Amino acid sequence: LPSPASSLVAVAFAVVATGTATWRATSATAAPAPASLSRGTLSVYEFEQYLGMITDSIRVRAYLQALEEVITPGCSVVEIGTGLGFFAFAALRLGAAKVFAIECSPSIEIARSLCRANGLEDRCFFYEQDSRTVELPERCDVLLSDLRGGLPFHGNHIQVLQDARTRFLKPGGRMIPWRDQHFACLTRAFPLEASLALPGPDPFDWTPCLQRLQHQATRWWGQEKELLTPAQKLGEWNYTTVSQPDFQATAAWTVSQPASIGGVLVWFDAQLTEAVSFSNSPTEVASPRSYGQTCCSVWPPLLVEAGATVCLDWKAKSMKKDYALCWEVGSSGVWRRNCSLFAKARPRGDQPIR
């Protein structure tokens, strides 16, 4: 496998196109047997999600460029949440002496099979458990992860990384990602019926479903024409230092024209290293497909006049394995308040491919 990141990206697409790993040319020998999952079953939906992540060319290219920057010959790497093992194998091909790949889902069995199929098993060591229960034989030069959902506020993201950088990383070691910056803007009211394209006989009453969605935080792939205000930075997480999993921020905008505010779009921009980054902004054409934005619904829509100031109070509170997102949007004493559990939100199937 060539080392330039542009060549490595093609490997991810080959995995999907052939259904097996194509890291190296092989002779006409029997294909390896399918992985037998030792714990649980990886559903077709979960498998498609993993494939979607490694075929997101913008995300993959950025991570590979970051790995090229930090990997030095003979270094050691620990990856938390290795999934199908794609970045672990890339680190080995870029010169790492060994990789400790940690994953607590059944996908690790597929990663093991890919590892054996490509002759990397003598340098890649798998741990099928929560990283906080893992004891590595040594500290590593690089700590690699992508434990986000649609937002960095996902599961035990911060608790896991805080533990990992304390126990797994050498002094002066590198973390990928380095930091995430959080942004928000106001968006127009959107018809939930149209956005969901709900099927069913005509007429069919979807009111109970829509009422629930009116108070949710939902993964979204917004368009610039839907935005009412510029983005404002809510804050950032520097993963080399952050220790507090909860997050709170306020923002205020002055709207230039009468508007119906139907939601708050929240997203993150990733800084994998000082030189490598990507943005999930709805105004960014070349953004990854894996994350999108999160639309925090304002219901009923908040009607404001031109020149009005609109305030936002936004919180993300860690709730063991979930995050509770809470937001308040108000103007001239009129407020809309909502809370939503978000950790297991999944992408919509119809997000645009940019």
Side-chain angles (χ1 to χ4, degrees):
L1 183 68
S3 60
S6 58
S7 300
L8 286 168
V9 173
V11 176
F13 293 93
V15 173
V16 176
T18 65
T20 58
T22 56
W23 290 86
R24 59 180 179 179
T26 57
S27 60
T29 54
S36 59
L37 304 184
S38 60
R39 297 183 187 176
T41 300
L42 189 67
S43 75
V44 65
Y45 302 106
E46 291 170 319
F47 187 53
E48 287 180 355
Q49 284 184 312
Y50 282 115
L51 292 180
M53 295 287 278
I54 65 171
T55 56
D56 182 341
S57 61
I58 295 172
R59 170 185 177 268
V60 168
R61 185 173 290 110
Y63 266 86
L64 292 177
Q65 289 174 344
L67 284 172
E68 281 193 306
E69 179 184 326
V70 304
I71 295 295
T72 56
C75 73
S76 56
V77 178
V78 55
E79 183 182 18
I80 301 178
T82 196
L84 304 183
F86 178 75
F87 291 129
F89 308 147
L92 292 171
R93 294 297 178 113
L94 287 167
K98 64 185 71 172
V99 173
F100 302 102
I102 303 172
E103 176 61 58
C104 55
S105 87
S107 66
I108 197 169
E109 292 299 340
I110 301 174
R112 286 185 174 121
S113 294
L114 289 170
C115 185
R116 289 191 295 269
N118 290 280
L120 300 171
E121 63 270 27
D122 60 332
R123 295 189 291 145
C124 193
F125 307 94
F126 293 94
Y127 295 80
E128 188 179 356
Q129 59 197 93
D130 187 310
S131 66
R132 291 169 291 181
T133 67
V134 170
E135 296 292 338
L136 294 183
E138 61 187 75
R139 290 177 178 259
C140 296
D141 301 288
V142 179
L143 170 57
L144 172 66
S145 69
D146 184 357
L147 302 179
R148 314 173 185 94
L151 291 172
F153 315 109
H154 184 80
N156 292 313
H157 185 186
I158 298 304
Q159 296 93 324
V160 167
L161 289 188
Q162 183 180 11
D163 172 77
R165 72 174 186 248
T166 301
R167 297 193 301 116
F168 298 160
L169 198 60
K170 291 179 180 178
R174 301 289 297 274
M175 291 184 69
I176 302 174
W178 167 42
R179 68 173 180 176
D180 286 336
Q181 300 180 81
H182 317 303
F183 295 88
C185 71
L186 303 178
T187 184
R188 304 178 193 279
F190 55 88
L192 290 171
E193 297 92 335
S195 70
L196 290 170
L198 294 174
D202 186 20
F204 192 87
D205 188 0
W206 285 99
T207 301
C209 179
L210 296 175
Q211 287 176 337
R212 181 177 180 86
L213 288 172
Q214 287 163 358
H215 303 282
Q216 293 289 311
T218 307
R219 293 282 288 277
W220 192 254
W221 281 260
Q223 299 180 13
E224 190 169 1
K225 65 182 181 181
E226 299 168 340
L227 310 183
L228 289 170
T229 63
Q232 282 205 26
K233 183 178 176 180
L234 299 180
E236 67 177 57
W237 272 347
N238 183 322
Y239 293 117
T240 66
T241 58
V242 65
S243 59
Q244 173 55 257
D246 295 342
F247 181 86
Q248 181 174 356
T250 59
W253 295 267
T254 299
V255 296
S256 59
Q257 57 187 347
S260 175
I261 300 169
V264 179
L265 284 186
V266 184
W267 66 92
F268 71 95
D269 286 358
Q271 195 84 37
L272 302 185
T273 67
E274 291 187 7
V276 181
S277 63
F278 60 78
S279 173
N280 292 295
S281 167
T283 63
E284 175 60 54
V285 175
S287 63
R289 292 182 286 122
S290 298
Y291 311 103
Q293 302 94 42
T294 295
C295 185
C296 300
S297 175
V298 176
W299 189 262
L302 183 65
L303 304 178
V304 295
E305 299 295 331
T309 298
V310 181
C311 299
L312 168 68
D313 186 358
W314 201 87
K315 302 182 182 72
K317 182 172 179 58
S318 178
M319 307 285 288
K320 294 185 178 179
K321 294 183 179 181
D322 295 314
Y323 261 91
L325 304 185
C326 299
W327 59 97
E328 300 183 13
V329 179
S331 180
S332 302
V334 179
W335 288 86
R336 305 284 187 264
R337 296 176 173 88
N338 268 317
C339 282
S340 175
L341 284 176
F342 184 67
K344 295 184 179 179
R346 297 175 182 265
R348 291 178 8 188
D350 63 337
Q351 70 264 35
I353 299 177
R354 293 170 174 168

